[in-house]
Amino acid sequence: MTKEDKPLRADARRNRARVLEAAEAVLARDGVAASMRAVAQEAGVGLGTIYRHFPTRETLYEAILVARMERLVEHVPALREAEDAGAAFFGFFTDIVDNATRMRAVADVLADAGIDVKAGMSEVGSAVRSAIELLLVRAQQQGAVREDLRMPELLALLGAVCMAAERHQWEPELRDRTLGVVFDGCRPHH
Amino acid sequence: MTKEDKPLRADARRNRARVLEAAEAVLARDGVAASMRAVAQEAGVGLGTIYRHFPTRETLYEAILVARMERLVEHVPALREAEDAGAAFFGFFTDIVDNATRMRAVADVLADAGIDVKAGMSEVGSAVRSAIELLLVRAQQQGAVREDLRMPELLALLGAVCMAAERHQWEPELRDRTLGVVFDGCRPHH
Amino acid sequence: MTKEDKPLRADARRNRARVLEAAEAVLARDGVAASMRAVAQEAGVGLGTIYRHFPTRETLYEAILVARMERLVEHVPALREAEDAGAAFFGFFTDIVDNATRMRAVADVLADAGIDVKAGMSEVGSAVRSAIELLLVRAQQQGAVREDLRMPELLALLGAVCMAAERHQWEPELRDRTLGVVFDGCRPHH
Amino acid sequence: MTKEDKPLRADARRNRARVLEAAEAVLARDGVAASMRAVAQEAGVGLGTIYRHFPTRETLYEAILVARMERLVEHVPALREAEDAGAAFFGFFTDIVDNATRMRAVADVLADAGIDVKAGMSEVGSAVRSAIELLLVRAQQQGAVREDLRMPELLALLGAVCMAAERHQWEPELRDRTLGVVFDGCRPHH
DNA sequence: TATGAATGAGACTTCATTCAT
DNA sequence: GATGAATGAAGTCTCATTCAT
């Protein structure tokens, strides 16, 4: 706590951000084979600097995930007020998939390492989860989404589509057609 | 041709099979980080034996993939004659997902290595594809699947669900609920 | 340029030198079979350190060769001014042979690897060549060496004697007697 | 003794010869990196067959050396009767160098392995040595070679030139020019 | 604080040699 | 006797992480 909250010096914060950004890029390029040295080079900092901010490979990747999620959640307040709850729900789903392009490699690495992703980032993680749930419930109340759709399968679908979108580099059209099927499956009345 | 078809000695074939089996298990357990030595130990053979049968890490993984697919395609002839084309289609989809539990790690590794998966196994690969297409068309003819569903998004969905099922070790119930949504999205009349 | 010339940190330079020295010793002891690990142990550094300085086995061997040659060329300026050009010529030849005691294993390895030795060290390599040629010409002008001796056969002889001296660990007396024959063959008037 | 003298079956002897020949070729091609498997393939026999005839890598290489030397010694009886003892001596020297094209790689390997070449083939080895000595003495008696040339330096020169000729693939002209210098150094009157 | 040199475990792969077929 | 499958030690090289500068 004490350590965590100490505000970083300006240059330190700048370095932290550069490393994070570089790590995303390198991960997207090299996949699981990404090396810390490559990240350092991309970020234009020394190896030691990375380890100052992220004591471990896993710590770094987790931070990326958290950053991504924070970016996602930024959209939520606006969506929660939206008139058309169905559009908000499906729109957020699509947003997440779009963002996933680089997200999966990260989750992958964490999962491979046997790390419980939720452990290190429960806060922001559950923020995303809450956001999804909120939008889901509202959409169901407006009758835009079937009543019997529950969070587990929703998250499963979301995860599946994100993974695939990233690995196979879906074109926008393919993404739309595929999500179309999934969304139809989410709608009521069968 | 002659060289390729020369039947392996009994013990050699046995070992080849053991390696393949062990590799699947280890891959499922350790993910992309799986090492050849671990496979050798699991198979109870020497490291060299693996390399005799599969000159390269990639060769081994590809062989696993091919074996999996061959196992899948075995089911097809029966399904193609089924009365209820819809049930056959959705059943095969489910089969594939079940089989995928260990399949993804393999595809992953190949993809990471920049290997064109289709290259090494075009035959059996396209056999699976053909089987899916066949069942799809029949199901559409019987009105069990919507007319506008095309192969690209079907394969995209299938891939997505397979990946996720493997990585997150879906319980049977979760699998059913998730596939339920997808299948509903595939059905006509919306 | 800028990157290349950046002076190494003191400890890094010390290590580089130690590796080079150790590699020469190990190569002399173990011949072509010398392993990187053996070099690391002899140098008292980690394996990784070697690879930091010499990204490849061949790079290391080439560096040794270059170092040797540089040491040789140091003698040249003095010799070029010598009164007795014949003594200078034959003296330099002998020097090279003495230095060759450990040099051949290196050239060997490079040759085996199909590496063009001249490629990586053209500068210092041709410096040696030039030095030899210079001393040869002066010796011929003074009548100490026969006029029809040309560089190709001179280098061939030099190479041959160096190889043999190294491999068979010539005693000083044997070296003198053998070089005596060769030198007589180089002298005029037959 | 008992084992050694048992005459081989016809096919066995044929195989032995094929292996020997193949080994020479492979050694010439791949140098020290030559592998037993490569020899087996070149010979068109199984790996086991090689090991039946030559229980060890070194044994095989030694056998090659012996075979080469036997071939050399065949020429000797004729030379020993020659009128011009100088021509006979220098001719034999040249012969050996020509034959050396492939011989050195073998000697190399043996030397690298710390094997005393003379040990395993003392008989034929000393036959060559005797032949050289014989021709040397006769040439000295006829005044074609200087009196003070002794075997040690003669063998040293021979070895040196053989090595170099093989490694650097001397062209005939270069060989003649180089041997010319050496031979001049061997002649009397300086 | 930032840097990057050093470390060494561990990955992949080769190859001499043994031994079941 | 011949074959080639199996073995595993050993080699080269990579990379996460530590620590002197």
Side-chain angles (χ1 to χ4, degrees), chain C residues 26 35 42 46 55 77 95 140 161 163 167:
Chain C
V26 171
S35 83
E42 175 82 20
D95 265 12
Q140 286 174 324
V161 175
M163 276 188 190
R167 174 154 306 284

Side-chain angles (χ1 to χ4, degrees), chain B residues 1-8 13:
Chain B
M1 255 306 138
T2 46
K3 199 76 169 290
E4 301 283 334
D5 295 352
K6 176 163 37 146
L8 290 169
R13 191 162 51 234

Side-chain angles (χ1 to χ4, degrees), chain B residues 3-78:
Chain B
K3 199 76 169 290
E4 301 283 334
D5 295 352
K6 176 163 37 146
L8 290 169
R9 251 165 53 180
D11 56 344
R13 191 162 51 234
R14 192 164 47 248
N15 271 340
R16 206 192 115 99
R18 282 167 75 184
V19 168
L20 227 39
E21 199 175 349
E24 277 193 311
V26 171
L27 228 54
R29 173 161 34 85
D30 300 350
V32 207
S35 84
M36 295 301 260
R37 184 170 300 276
V39 173
Q41 262 158 9
E42 174 82 20
V45 304
L47 251 180
T49 302
I50 298 189
Y51 281 92
R52 160 164 291 274
H53 291 291
F54 309 99
T56 261
R57 195 184 211 266
E58 273 73 32
T59 321
L60 171 58
Y61 291 169
E62 194 182 292
I64 295 180
L65 213 45
V66 171
R68 281 269 162 202
M69 293 201 161
E70 278 171 348
R71 228 171 300 165
L72 271 183
V73 183
E74 285 170 6
H75 302 194
V76 173

Side-chain angles (χ1 to χ4, degrees), chain A residues 15-82:
Chain A
N15 272 341
R16 206 192 114 99
R18 282 168 73 184
V19 168
L20 227 39
E21 198 174 350
E24 274 194 311
V26 172
L27 227 54
R29 172 161 36 84
D30 300 350
V32 207
S35 83
M36 293 301 262
R37 186 170 299 275
V39 173
Q41 261 161 7
E42 175 81 19
V45 304
L47 258 177
T49 303
I50 298 188
Y51 281 92
R52 163 159 301 274
H53 293 291
F54 310 98
T56 261
R57 191 186 213 261
E58 272 73 32
T59 321
L60 169 60
Y61 289 170
E62 194 182 291
I64 296 180
L65 211 45
V66 171
R68 282 268 165 201
M69 292 199 162
E70 279 171 346
R71 227 172 300 164
L72 270 182
V73 183
E74 286 170 5
H75 301 194
V76 173
L79 291 172
R80 127 189 326 159
E81 312 296 339

Side-chain angles (χ1 to χ4, degrees), chain C residues 83-145:
Chain C
E83 293 251 322
D84 183 344
F89 173 76
F90 292 122
F92 190 51
F93 197 119
T94 307
D95 265 12
I96 292 178
V97 174
D98 279 352
N99 259 286
T101 307
R102 288 175 173 174
M103 207 151 148
R104 194 209 56 89
V106 176
D108 237 36
V109 172
L110 290 173
D112 281 343
I115 302 257
D116 184 14
V117 175
K118 283 108 198 171
M121 53 171 210
S122 39
E123 252 171 290
V124 64
S126 62
V128 171
R129 210 192 125 93
S130 303
I132 294 173
E133 193 154 20
L134 181 85
L135 297 175
L136 168 64
V137 170
R138 282 194 66 232
Q140 286 174 324
Q141 285 167 346
Q142 288 197 7
V145 166

Side-chain angles (χ1 to χ4, degrees), chain C residues 165-178:
Chain C
E166 190 277 331
R167 174 154 306 284
H168 300 301
Q169 303 285 15
W170 288 357
E171 302 290 322
E173 203 203 317
L174 177 59
R175 182 204 66 190
D176 288 341
R177 297 184 64 88
T178 311

